[in-house]
Amino acid sequence: HQMQRRTRTVKVYTEKTTDGDSDEFSPHTQSASEDEIEEWQPESKAPKRQQKAQPSEKKPVVKRQAKPKEPKESKPKAPRKPVERKPRAPRAPKAPKPLKEGAGGVNQTNSICDAAESQQSARVKKERLSFIVPDGSCNNNMSRAGGGWSEGPSSSHQPYGGKKEEPEEDFAFDEPSLKRQKTSSAPQGRPTRLPTSGRAFGEDLNMNWDLIQLLSERTGVDQWVCLNISQLFKEENTIPFIVRYRKEMINHMDADAVRDVQLVALAKKTQTISQTLKKEGVLTAELEQALRNCRTADELDHVYAPYKKGSKLSKACRARQLGLESAAQALLQSPYTLDLRAWVKPGSEGLSTLEEVSTGVVQILADIIAKDGETLTHIRSLCDKSMVMLQSSVSRTALKEQQKEGHQGKPKDIDKFHLYCDFTCNVQHIQHHQTLAINRGENLKILTVKVNIPDRVKSDFCRWCLNVRWRPKGYPREELMKILRDAVEDSYKRLLLPLLSRSYRAKLTGSAEKESIAMFVRNLRQRLLVCPVRGRVIMGVDPGFRHGCKLAVLSPTSQILFTDVVYLHGSGGNREADKLRHLMIRYSCNTVVIGNGTACRETEAFFADLISRRFFQPLDVSYCITSEAGASIYSVSPAAVKEMPDLDPNLRSAVSIGRRVQDPLAELVKIDPKHIGIGTYQHDVSQSSLKAALDGVVQECVSFVGVDINICSETLMRHVAGLNTGRAKSIAEWRETNGPFMNRDQLRLVKGLGPKSYQQCAGFIRINPLDHLNNHSDAAGGNSAQAAQEKPAAKGKGKTKASAAVPTLPNPLDQTCIHPESYAVARSFLSLVGGSVDQMGRPELRQCVEASVKCQGLEALAETLNTTPDTLQLIIDGLTQPPGFDIRQDFEKADFKRGIVSMSDLREGVVLTGRVENATLFGAFVDIGVGRNGLIHKKYITPDKLPADQRRRSLALGPGEKVEVRVLNVDHQRGRIGLDLIRVLR
């Protein structure tokens, strides 16, 4: 009997796998609000079906149990073999899926890569590679997306076709499909570490599931890639280092995708709960197994809820304390022997009557049913097949306060949520911004929200429980069947229905928060990577009425030349204009940067009028508008006080506004990313997740751009991968004490910078040769190099020994993105092509390199040099990039103008050009130069209007992108402008 039961279990497992797997790989089956593979599926076991295709490649525990059962099945149950294989017949056409499995094996790797080679150009661009420029020049074989690093979407993007039933909105806001991170189709991806089992990696977690397999299911990434990434994180590698210097190990995934594949905290939480329950003496073997079987936080909370401190004992626990557990088990196992009158004890609380005993048995059975894994899976599958609706309405509290306050105050708040005062939507179709708006209204006690599950689910579930899963053995009496029916209904209404509602709300919220954070991430990345305006004297203007306009004249190197306050909007405007003309001619300043805050429109009109009258001749003056979000907060921050101690906070804002155009990255990293004015619903998402994601993007941007260690600020330095506040401070102190760094190796002399930190940061730090020249010019006979070696020796014995081993001569390779660990390969490559380090960045070396690569091929050269093609490509890019190469030079630049257009000039149908200011979950706001941003609703952002490399993003537009738009409507009273996207300008 045991063997037959196991065989049946394996068979049912396989049939469920087919459904889950088809959902995973078919983008048309994913709804708009699904975020993970199990979003609307009770269980996902897709890898099990794929493991059968390659039984020798992966060795998860589940497959080893299933494999030896085949000979046992064939002998006693030979007729059953074709029955099990029938549902697998349709899987044959899905040939590409085994590629995922093959990518993780030794024998399959080369065949996969060869088979996909002919489709490389098409397939590679389907991967999510957001940061590929740092290791390649403009001629890299991987093209940039929109002049940026992105070949694909950020962490929340998905390909087209994800929402078949609503084609007009499927592009803009489909839930990211799991295929966004599939890597087996990338021909250049090869596993460099072949895992034997993911369970070995997570043995210390003591869970009843394979950690790596779970990560693969959750993220859609191959298991060998998940294992590599998990191992890299375990070794304390940073994401920028992994993405740039370990590409072959992660199969060319981008930074956002790598961030998704991190060790789940569920296992650690389970361990904590187990230890707590063990201390309290309530941890039984069955409860421990139930905790270890939990694969989601909802399941874990459901099991742990009755045992939380401060919570009352559940009804089932109290019934068990009365000794009714055996009666409940007997009702299921041997009902013909059960007589509940034997448990009746007159005078005993809870057992005094037969009715009380029956109630206790009902409560125990309801608890057993609600915590059964198969039952949970079945009811979730029933819900997936039904129309589960999310409904919101005005709360009673809001209505009472409205009546109490006499229609003052509260009606305004209700009006903000008028779209959701009577709102109903299928949970599989609700948009992310709708979920966040409803949550906000609920938190403000303006809305009441509930999940409506059809009554048909209850009837089907009760029928299945009574006739299939919980059918008693034997023939129970009618009164016992009534108890079982009551238990099933009680379990559904009191336990399962709230669990399902919480589960749906949590999934919707989690999915919406993830999409919102992804929008923040992409907006911040594009804002930080705006091309700097170099070589200009700039006047930063913080506009104002009553307190005047604050001015700051900055040198091309961002040094403060002059600050003042002028009153342009009063009666003395002409006198102030003469002062402006004098300042601009004195400092040869022909560029004005105006903050977009209060009085921006009036200040812009003032400068536009002067420019139109040629007031600043002989200077050709132009101006631009830039975001001043966060400037006021920064002006009173400790960093600003330390940097500009003698300036008034208002003048510091003008300095910050000017520097945001000169070098946006260096200036914006001083401000908390949440204050830069990007994204939406930032207060409605997990603050810890938002902060981690935004800090990660700042680190990626700073690292991939690179910093000149001898001139960058301490604030900028702390955002380099591998560094932090303490290490950046130590580097700055070493620089002040010993002079400029001569090479990267001298970083090893810095206190607190160990081998791991050096490995992570070295490739992102630049040593400019001009610093060496300046250093030598300051010291006679070049003694500074000797001083730089002697000064660290005075710090201590350990430093003396390290200083003697570190060279002090400049290394030209320190100017490049090549990591020191690859210097030997770089020199060998130069010898092979007949070049030298002195030729770096010159056309003659580029010609030699291109000829060698064209003649021998990149892979052949890499094999000759005993390195990987990715590392060799990085070396080639570093050697051939011109001196002072900045990856931001091809990104969007600030728009400078000389004239102004007012909102009254707008008419329907007028075609204008503008720049995206902010991207949200419902559309993109565009600055068209009229003082008000227009909105391109998501339904007008369609694939046919976008470049091919932007069509896989979730919204496809981000801050800084230049667009051509058509005015659809103008609401002068509300100050709203509706726009239609015509095309993205490049």
Side-chain angles (χ1 to χ4, degrees):
H1 290 291
Q2 283 185 339
M3 184 181 70
Q4 291 177 356
R5 287 175 183 169
R6 289 181 181 174
T7 305
R8 261 197 309 273
T9 303
V10 172
K11 177 181 176 183
V12 173
Y13 222 36
T14 304
E15 291 172 355
K16 290 183 180 179
T17 296
T18 305
D19 297 337
D21 192 65
S22 63
D23 287 344
E24 176 185 356
F25 287 93
S26 175
H28 294 283
T29 61
Q30 294 287 348
S31 64
S33 59
E34 294 177 11
D35 186 57
E36 302 293 346
I37 186 170
E38 71 275 21
E39 178 69 26
W40 309 116
Q41 300 294 332
E43 293 289 341
S44 177
K45 304 175 179 68
K48 292 195 174 185
R49 198 205 66 181
Q50 295 171 354
Q51 286 165 359
K52 184 166 181 64
Q54 299 289 343
S56 61
E57 304 300 329
K58 299 184 181 180
K59 303 176 182 177
V61 175
V62 177
K63 195 195 75 172
R64 286 187 172 182
Q65 293 174 351
K67 185 175 179 180
K69 293 176 185 176
E70 292 185 4
K72 293 181 181 180
E73 257 182 69
S74 60
K75 292 179 181 180
K77 294 283 182 182
R80 287 199 171 194
K81 293 185 73 174
V83 174
E84 284 191 39
R85 294 183 180 176
K86 278 183 180 179
R88 294 178 183 166
R91 299 176 195 161
K94 300 183 180 180
K97 294 182 184 176
L99 289 177
K100 175 179 176 181
E101 196 72 26
V106 180
N107 299 329
Q108 296 290 332
T109 302
N110 294 332
S111 62
I112 293 169
C113 296
D114 295 337
E117 209 164 33
S118 61
Q119 302 176 359
Q120 179 170 1
S121 60
R123 284 179 176 266
V124 170
K125 292 191 176 185
K126 291 181 181 177
E127 299 302 320
R128 303 174 67 256
L129 309 172
S130 67
F131 287 109
I132 59 170
V133 170
D135 58 317
S137 66
C138 297
N139 297 327
N140 199 325
N141 59 338
M142 290 178 259
S143 63
R144 296 178 186 146
W149 292 341
S150 180
E151 276 205 351
S154 66
S155 65
S156 63
H157 305 148
Q158 87 162 30
Y160 294 134
K163 190 175 178 184
K164 187 174 181 181
E165 66 277 12
E166 296 184 37
E168 71 279 2
E169 294 185 355
D170 70 335
F171 159 74
F173 295 104
D174 270 2
E175 183 57 32
S177 169
L178 290 174
K179 296 181 72 174
R180 78 203 194 296
Q181 293 179 6
K182 286 293 179 184
T183 53
S184 58
S185 62
Q188 73 273 43
R190 295 190 176 94
T192 58
R193 298 186 184 185
L194 299 177
T196 55
S197 174
R199 178 172 289 278
F201 183 82
E203 283 180 347
D204 55 331
L205 300 180
N206 294 323
M207 300 300 288
N208 291 343
W209 36 261
D210 190 311
L211 174 63
I212 302 303
Q213 180 179 338
L214 180 65
L215 286 174
S216 181
E217 292 177 6
R218 295 271 177 91
T219 61
V221 177
D222 295 329
Q223 288 194 25
W224 68 270
V225 179
C226 287
L227 182 60
N228 283 352
I229 294 175
S230 300
Q231 186 63 38
L232 288 168
F233 278 130
K234 191 175 183 180
E235 294 170 359
E236 299 181 353
N237 291 288
T238 60
I239 290 180
F241 177 82
I242 294 171
V243 171
R244 177 177 283 186
Y245 298 111
R246 297 294 183 263
K247 286 185 177 182
E248 67 281 352
M249 294 183 64
I250 63 173
N251 210 3
H252 298 75
M253 292 170 62
D254 70 354
D256 294 322
V258 172
R259 191 180 294 109
D260 287 341
V261 188
Q262 296 196 29
L263 295 179
V264 291
L266 179 66
K268 294 182 180 179
K269 184 177 179 181
T270 301
Q271 288 181 327
T272 303
I273 290 175
S274 298
Q275 293 173 359
T276 302
L277 295 177
K278 190 174 183 180
K279 288 180 182 179
E280 296 175 357
V282 296
L283 183 65
T284 62
E286 294 78 9
L287 179 57
E288 186 175 11
Q289 288 300 315
L291 291 171
R292 291 182 179 179
N293 286 330
C294 295
R295 296 165 64 94
T296 66
D298 288 336
E299 293 179 8
L300 187 61
D301 292 338
H302 183 58
V303 174
Y304 178 53
Y307 305 96
K308 286 183 179 179
K309 282 187 176 180
S311 62
K312 298 180 180 178
L313 283 177
S314 67
K315 294 181 178 180
C317 289
R318 292 196 294 268
R320 286 187 174 98
Q321 290 179 352
L322 295 175
L324 295 177
E325 175 81 25
S326 57
Q329 293 292 341
L331 191 151
L332 296 174
Q333 301 298 330
S334 54
Y336 45 85
T337 63
L338 177 62
D339 185 4
L340 292 180
R341 289 173 295 183
W343 274 268
V344 176
K345 298 178 180 179
S348 177
E349 184 179 357
L351 300 175
S352 57
T353 64
L354 182 61
E355 183 179 354
E356 289 183 353
V357 172
S358 300
T359 302
V361 173
V362 166
Q363 292 166 352
I364 293 175
L365 289 175
D367 183 71
I368 294 174
I369 293 171
K371 292 180 180 177
D372 178 63
E374 186 176 344
T375 302
L376 290 173
T377 300
H378 183 76
I379 194 171
R380 284 171 178 162
S381 66
L382 291 176
C383 291
D384 293 340
K385 299 173 185 177
S386 305
M387 296 284 288
V388 180
M389 311 297 287
L390 183 74
Q391 181 179 353
S392 66
S393 57
V394 181
S395 67
R396 295 181 179 178
T397 304
L399 293 174
K400 287 180 180 178
E401 292 187 14
Q402 176 182 348
Q403 296 173 357
K404 186 184 300 182
E405 298 183 11
H407 300 282
Q408 294 180 1
K410 206 62 182 179
K412 296 181 181 179
D413 294 335
I414 295 179
D415 186 59
K416 293 178 182 178
F417 297 93
H418 70 277
L419 294 176
Y420 307 104
C421 289
D422 187 15
F423 178 83
T424 303
C425 184
N426 191 320
V427 293
Q428 296 187 358
H429 298 157
I430 190 170
Q431 302 293 328
H432 299 302
H433 67 276
Q434 294 173 333
T435 299
L436 294 176
I438 290 172
N439 288 350
R440 178 184 292 183
E442 185 180 32
N443 292 334
L444 295 174
K445 298 183 179 180
I446 296 174
L447 299 178
T448 298
V449 187
K450 64 179 181 179
V451 177
N452 289 330
I453 297 177
D455 294 336
R456 183 172 60 86
V457 173
K458 177 182 178 181
S459 59
D460 291 348
F461 171 76
C462 293
R463 189 183 307 112
W464 176 81
C465 287
L466 294 172
N467 297 332
V468 181
R469 182 70 180 102
W470 301 104
R471 182 177 181 177
K473 296 180 181 179
Y475 298 95
R477 299 185 300 276
E478 178 58 29
E479 59 268 20
L480 296 183
M481 282 302 298
K482 182 180 183 303
I483 291 176
L484 184 59
R485 280 194 296 270
D486 292 343
V488 172
E489 292 187 5
D490 181 56
S491 178
Y492 177 83
K493 182 178 179 180
R494 182 170 57 88
L495 301 175
L496 291 177
L497 202 56
L499 172 66
L500 293 171
S501 297
R502 291 194 303 268
S503 177
Y504 276 117
R505 292 293 305 278
K507 288 175 182 177
L508 289 174
T509 301
S511 175
E513 286 187 358
K514 187 174 182 179
E515 178 69 13
S516 181
I517 291 174
M519 188 71 70
F520 267 99
V521 165
R522 185 159 52 84
N523 290 351
L524 176 62
R525 182 178 293 137
Q526 293 189 243
R527 184 65 60 84
L528 293 177
L529 296 179
V530 172
C531 182
V533 177
R534 303 190 185 279
R536 294 194 193 185
V537 177
I538 285 182
M539 176 184 287
V541 181
D542 184 5
F545 287 117
R546 183 176 179 182
H547 299 288
C549 297
K550 282 68 68 177
L551 307 179
V553 181
L554 307 175
S555 71
T557 57
S558 297
Q559 300 299 315
I560 302 173
L561 302 178
F562 183 82
T563 59
D564 198 2
V565 179
V566 294
Y567 297 87
L568 306 179
H569 310 302
S571 57
N574 293 333
R575 183 179 66 254
E576 301 292 356
D578 292 335
K579 185 188 292 188
L580 286 175
R581 184 175 185 274
H582 172 72
L583 283 175
M584 300 187 76
I585 293 177
R586 176 185 174 184
Y587 293 104
S588 299
C589 175
N590 58 3
T591 304
V592 180
V593 179
I594 305 172
N596 65 347
T598 304
C600 167
R601 189 67 178 167
E602 291 74 13
T603 305
E604 180 186 7
F606 186 89
F607 276 96
D609 178 63
L610 296 179
I611 293 172
S612 65
R613 294 192 281 117
R614 302 179 182 276
F615 185 77
F616 299 108
Q617 279 191 343
L619 297 177
D620 183 17
V621 177
S622 60
Y623 68 90
C624 74
I625 308 296
T626 190
S627 172
E628 65 175 36
S632 299
I633 296 176
Y634 165 72
S635 64
V636 295
S637 66
V641 173
K642 181 179 179 181
E643 185 180 1
M644 299 172 280
D646 300 327
L647 276 186
D648 181 84
N650 294 321
L651 295 175
R652 292 176 193 154
S653 297
V655 174
S656 178
I657 289 171
R659 287 177 175 174
R660 290 184 184 201
V661 173
Q662 284 188 318
D663 192 346
L665 179 61
E667 187 63 24
L668 292 177
V669 295
K670 303 174 184 177
I671 304 169
D672 189 333
K674 291 186 293 185
H675 299 149
I676 296 179
I678 53 174
T680 53
Y681 297 102
Q682 69 181 46
H683 301 295
D684 300 299
V685 302
S686 169
Q687 295 303 300
S688 59
S689 300
L690 179 63
K691 185 179 187 305
L694 296 183
D695 290 346
V697 171
V698 173
Q699 184 188 67
E700 292 157 20
C701 292
V702 172
S703 300
F704 287 131
V705 170
V707 298
D708 189 332
I709 196 67
N710 288 320
I711 62 174
C712 74
S713 66
E714 182 180 326
T715 304
L716 182 64
M717 199 189 311
R718 70 180 59 158
H719 293 288
V720 176
L723 301 183
N724 54 26
T725 303
R727 293 167 189 154
K729 183 177 180 181
S730 299
I731 291 175
E733 291 174 351
W734 195 98
R735 187 173 61 188
E736 292 175 3
T737 306
N738 302 280
F741 286 88
M742 306 297 291
N743 53 51
R744 285 171 172 170
D745 284 336
Q746 286 187 316
L747 288 168
R748 301 177 187 272
L749 303 177
V750 177
K751 181 181 178 181
L753 200 68
K756 192 66 181 181
S757 300
Y758 174 78
Q759 179 198 36
Q760 299 300 305
C761 73
F764 307 113
I765 286 176
R766 307 285 184 270
I767 308 292
N768 194 322
L770 294 178
D771 297 330
H772 309 147
L773 297 177
N774 295 335
N775 187 46
H776 283 289
S777 65
D778 293 339
N783 292 331
S784 61
Q786 182 179 356
Q789 184 175 357
E790 291 175 356
K791 286 182 180 179
K795 292 185 179 180
K797 297 180 181 179
K799 290 296 177 184
T800 304
K801 192 175 293 185
S803 177
V806 174
T808 57
L809 296 176
N811 188 341
L813 293 175
D814 290 342
Q815 308 170 43
T816 69
C817 60
I818 303 173
H819 197 279
E821 67 185 10
S822 302
Y823 280 0
V825 179
R827 295 190 183 95
S828 300
F829 176 72
L830 286 171
S831 302
L832 187 64
V833 300
S836 64
V837 291
D838 298 330
Q839 297 177 310
M840 286 194 319
R842 297 181 183 175
E844 51 266 29
L845 179 60
R846 178 182 289 273
Q847 293 175 1
C848 293
V849 170
E850 289 177 353
S852 298
V853 173
K854 185 176 181 180
C855 178
Q856 302 182 45
L858 187 66
E859 293 192 2
L861 286 172
E863 188 175 353
T864 302
L865 297 170
N866 193 25
T867 187
T868 63
D870 298 307
T871 302
L872 182 57
Q873 183 63 58
L874 186 65
I875 292 171
I876 291 174
D877 296 332
L879 295 175
T880 56
Q881 286 168 351
F885 173 78
D886 191 333
I887 60 172
R888 296 174 292 174
Q889 65 190 17
D890 293 330
F891 282 70
E892 301 295 341
K893 302 179 181 179
D895 281 331
F896 292 94
K897 52 187 178 179
R898 295 173 176 82
I900 187 172
V901 180
S902 66
M903 189 170 174
S904 60
D905 297 329
L906 295 180
R907 297 290 183 273
E908 292 185 11
V910 174
V911 176
L912 302 167
T913 59
R915 192 170 294 279
V916 177
E917 282 293 311
N918 192 15
T920 68
L921 296 174
F922 50 83
F925 289 96
V926 180
D927 180 8
I928 54 177
V930 298
R932 285 276 187 175
N933 291 337
L935 173 65
I936 307 177
H937 194 269
K938 60 176 184 174
K939 64 184 177 183
Y940 297 118
I941 307 175
T942 55
D944 57 295
K945 300 177 182 179
L946 298 168
D949 56 1
Q950 290 183 239
R951 295 178 181 176
R952 291 180 305 277
R953 297 197 199 165
S954 63
L955 186 59
L957 294 178
E961 293 189 273
K962 200 169 184 179
V963 293
E964 187 176 43
V965 296
R966 178 183 293 105
V967 178
L968 294 178
N969 53 75
V970 181
D971 187 344
H972 294 279
Q973 183 177 358
R974 304 175 71 182
R976 294 184 177 181
I977 306 170
L979 302 175
D980 179 20
L981 176 66
I982 298 177
R983 61 191 175 107
V984 178
L985 301 176
R986 293 289 179 87

